[in-house]
Amino acid sequence: MNDALTTGEIGSAMTSGSATAAQPTVFDSIQSWLVTVDHKKLGLMYIMYGLVFLLVGGMEATLIRIQLAVPDNHFLSPQVFNQMFTMHGTTMVFLVGMPIIFGFANYLVPLIIGARDLAFPRLNAFGLWLSVFGGLLLYFSFVGAPGMAGAGGAPDVGWFAYAPLTGKAFSKGHSTDYWILGTMIGGFGSIAAAANIITTILCMRCPGMTLRKMPLLAWLNLVMCGMVLLCVSPLTAAQIMLLLDRFVGSHFFDTQAGGSAALWMHFFWIFGHPEVYILIIPAFAFASEIIPVFSRKAIFGYPVMVGATVAIAFVSMSVWAHHMFTVGMTSTGNTFFVVSTMMVGIPTGIKIFNWLGTMWGGKLRFATPMIFSIAFLFQFLIAGLTGIMLACAPWDWQLNDSYFLVAHFHYTLAGALVFMIFAAIYYWFPKATGRLLSERLGKWHFWLFAIGFHVTFDTMHIPGILGMPRRVYTYQAGRGWDLLNLICTIGVAFQAIATLILVVNIIWSLRKGRPAGNDPWDAWTLEWAATSPPREYNFAEIPTVRSRRPLWDLKHPGDPDWKYE
């Protein structure tokens, strides 16, 4: 036991306290959550906040698909349709993806590196409440944005907010201002969280945990947070410039006064494409923890996995303008971004082979977290292949503004990120609550969501190839898109039902779920050494480790990992 892990708390020190405190009132419980600086409570609030907006963004997507289900439909007006696809995209990226990945990082990073909290607890709380305020401010636009004569409303300029649509001439009222301020404030919260997590990982690892012995979840979150610091700042700078255009009379993006609409596109996509990897790298982290546990094998090629992640982060900073092949860049510029975009597929492919190598020859256990992870592998592969197709500039020229591209990025963000968020919920829910989610409901959730996902987004590639443009609120009959759009909408119904099953599963399991114990999956990283749920201080004594799988060493003292690393 001492060869692998000297943690006095793993057994005796994690027992329940001797004194029984008075039962807190409901007000006391609410107050304890509102004023907390405990990384676990803050992480759970990040995740709950993101899941609430997942439901909101899902409802917006459902309204969009109802409108497009049949030709010449007027279920939504053109103005409301523009608001829905703007708010859906903004919500899913800024208010779902970012809070949930930071929520898991908040909760898990200190536990997995053997620390008692993040480096700056108050900054952690500040970052959460900035993010919450930014999201609420954005949605306040539904009631607060209308200007004179009812002009305005919710933002309707797309989640990318291209100029000149954001100019005063085309965006009257204050809807665009709410978009700018809401996402900017949320960005400040993300920067605070990223700086905190980086400091924690670099400075607060437990004794023995060198960078070479750090779990992949910590490594990948370190890379992700570094990307946040680099990528959110250009977007914030561009948003400040846009505010100056709208209120002070500057002309950064006003082409009629010598500005450049393409300048906004460069600033936005310098953030926007690395943002895809900011969201996906934590999904890689979840897969890198879940797949080995349910394969009963250590991760295959740990050093290569770390190197591939760093390579993805590095190369992804130089691919942004593949979103701009249609704006008329030079042939040299197009060639550079074609090559850099295709290059990012190399380290990504390495990761897929490493996950498959981990599963190969393993004793696979198909619990709910594992089947979501397997689906992620297949779907992210398809997303990568269509991404390589779109990296070819002539192909992208034809399909950039079609539903083929919509299908591609939903394969990336829904087929990869959302599936791995669900896998992570099923995997770490027992640690956070002490109760297991229902496997039966989990399987229903998986199969309904997977069927709905493929019905919608497999089909959606076809109208894109047939020329259906995106961002149109309706279309004429007889173009060959009618049945295909109806099928896409039917798939959304399956996904909505599956998501409701997850909500029911969480509520039911919180009340009546089977007790999980401290380590229900027989896992190997330090968070499973703490009680379920962990105490406020995480560990009574800071653990000491000698390998990447300290609990394996503890459970198998005759065959510890540290002998082979």
Side-chain angles (χ1 to χ4, degrees):
M1 177 175 176
N2 290 332
D3 285 340
L5 188 65
T6 57
T7 55
E9 83 293 348
I10 284 184
S12 60
M14 282 295 179
T15 57
S16 58
S18 58
T20 303
Q23 281 292 100
T25 65
V26 173
F27 176 80
D28 292 334
S29 298
I30 294 174
Q31 184 189 36
S32 72
W33 283 83
L34 293 178
V35 303
T36 187
V37 293
D38 179 9
H39 73 96
K40 296 179 291 299
K41 287 186 175 180
L42 292 169
L44 291 175
M45 284 193 285
Y46 265 117
I47 295 169
M48 289 186 288
Y49 168 77
L51 291 178
V52 168
F53 274 110
L54 176 65
L55 298 178
V56 174
M59 288 188 284
E60 291 163 346
T62 302
L63 293 175
I64 293 170
R65 287 312 319 170
I66 291 173
Q67 169 63 23
L68 295 173
V70 294
D72 297 314
N73 195 2
H74 299 286
F75 175 74
L76 300 178
S77 68
Q79 294 79 13
V80 173
F81 182 86
N82 288 345
Q83 293 173 2
M84 287 299 102
F85 85 73
T86 298
M87 293 300 284
H88 169 70
T90 304
T91 298
M92 299 306 285
V93 172
F94 292 97
L95 308 184
V96 177
M98 294 295 279
I100 290 179
I101 65 171
F102 275 120
F104 277 104
N106 260 273
Y107 195 98
L108 293 172
V109 165
L111 286 166
I112 212 166
I113 66 171
R116 290 204 171 101
D117 208 321
L118 288 176
F120 309 113
R122 287 189 175 90
L123 180 64
N124 195 19
F126 181 66
L128 167 68
W129 294 114
L130 274 181
S131 299
V132 170
F133 179 69
L136 296 179
L137 180 65
L138 175 65
Y139 267 81
F140 185 71
S141 63
F142 276 100
V143 294
M148 296 181 64
D156 58 357
V157 292
W159 82 279
F160 36 77
Y162 283 165
L165 296 177
T166 51
K168 281 286 190 181
F170 302 101
S171 180
K172 299 184 182 297
H174 294 291
S175 59
T176 297
D177 305 320
Y178 276 91
W179 182 89
I180 296 169
L181 293 173
T183 54
M184 185 191 299
I185 291 170
F188 292 150
S190 297
I191 290 173
N196 206 349
I197 292 167
I198 289 173
T199 306
T200 303
I201 292 173
L202 294 181
C203 302
M204 297 180 64
R205 300 188 308 277
C206 65
M209 187 176 284
T210 63
L211 290 176
R212 293 185 60 190
K213 295 179 181 178
M214 193 164 67
L216 282 174
L217 184 137
W219 251 115
L220 271 62
N221 274 288
L222 176 64
V223 173
M224 177 272 291
C225 290
M227 293 181 68
V228 169
L229 296 184
L230 291 174
C231 299
V232 173
S233 301
L235 176 64
T236 303
Q239 290 172 322
I240 293 171
M241 294 159 69
L242 182 55
L243 284 174
L244 293 175
D245 275 11
R246 289 179 59 82
F247 287 99
V248 180
S250 61
H251 304 293
F252 292 107
F253 310 119
D254 184 356
T255 55
Q256 293 181 327
S260 172
L263 178 64
W264 169 269
M265 298 178 73
H266 280 290
F267 268 109
F268 182 83
W269 289 116
I270 285 172
F271 155 80
H273 196 80
E275 169 69 6
V276 174
Y277 293 96
I278 288 170
L279 295 173
I280 288 298
I281 284 176
F284 294 168
F286 301 152
S288 299
E289 297 298 330
I290 293 171
I291 289 174
V293 169
F294 290 99
S295 301
R296 307 316 299 163
K297 286 176 61 182
I299 190 73
F300 177 75
Y302 171 94
V304 177
M305 290 289 274
V306 173
T309 304
V310 175
I312 288 170
F314 179 78
V315 178
S316 71
M317 302 297 292
S318 63
V319 304
W320 76 87
H322 71 221
H323 294 272
M324 300 170 58
F325 285 147
T326 58
V327 306
M329 295 188 298
T330 65
S331 58
T332 302
N334 284 344
T335 301
F336 173 83
F337 287 106
V338 165
V339 173
S340 63
T341 302
M342 290 188 175
M343 282 179 60
V344 82
I346 297 173
T348 306
I350 289 172
K351 281 185 165 293
I352 292 175
F353 279 112
N354 278 55
W355 288 316
L356 293 176
T358 303
M359 295 169 61
W360 185 266
K363 188 176 180 181
L364 301 183
R365 178 184 169 195
F366 295 103
T368 304
M370 186 60 167
I371 59 175
F372 271 106
S373 300
I374 293 172
F376 150 78
L377 290 179
F378 170 74
Q379 288 154 190
F380 189 68
L381 174 63
I382 301 300
L385 293 175
T386 55
I388 293 297
M389 295 163 68
L390 290 166
C392 181
W395 179 274
D396 184 86
W397 181 276
Q398 297 295 325
L399 294 175
N400 182 280
D401 285 322
S402 78
Y403 263 86
F404 185 92
L405 192 135
V406 177
H408 159 70
F409 66 67
H410 278 85
Y411 243 93
T412 304
L413 293 183
L417 174 63
V418 173
F419 269 73
M420 283 315 303
I421 286 173
F422 290 151
I425 289 172
Y426 282 95
Y427 184 65
W428 279 291
F429 182 90
K431 177 53 56 181
T433 66
R435 294 184 180 275
L436 289 160
L437 286 166
S438 166
E439 279 289 307
R440 182 179 180 183
L441 290 177
K443 298 296 197 307
W444 275 100
H445 172 207
F446 169 77
W447 285 110
L448 285 174
F449 199 88
I451 290 169
F453 172 84
H454 286 282
V455 167
T456 296
F457 297 112
D458 291 6
T459 307
M460 194 177 287
H461 288 85
I462 303 173
I465 292 175
L466 295 177
M468 181 176 175
R470 55 187 175 133
R471 302 191 288 266
V472 293
Y473 92 103
T474 193
Y475 53 94
Q476 294 179 332
R479 304 292 296 272
W481 310 333
D482 308 18
L483 178 61
L484 296 170
N485 274 292
L486 180 60
I487 293 172
C488 290
T489 301
I490 291 171
V492 170
F494 281 84
Q495 295 173 69
I497 294 169
T499 306
L500 291 178
I501 289 175
L502 172 63
V503 174
V504 171
N505 198 354
I506 290 173
I507 294 172
W508 183 87
S509 298
L510 284 171
R511 295 174 58 87
K512 298 183 179 180
R514 184 161 55 90
N518 294 344
D519 185 12
W521 310 121
D522 190 19
W524 305 311
T525 45
L526 281 178
E527 76 270 30
W528 302 104
T531 55
S532 299
R535 297 186 174 279
E536 188 172 350
Y537 47 79
N538 293 347
F539 303 100
E541 297 178 17
I542 298 298
T544 298
V545 304
R546 296 184 66 182
S547 79
R548 298 175 199 130
R549 298 196 299 168
L551 291 196
W552 171 274
D553 297 346
L554 178 69
K555 298 169 186 176
H556 303 86
D559 186 30
D561 269 8
W562 59 265
K563 288 184 177 180
Y564 310 105
E565 291 181 358

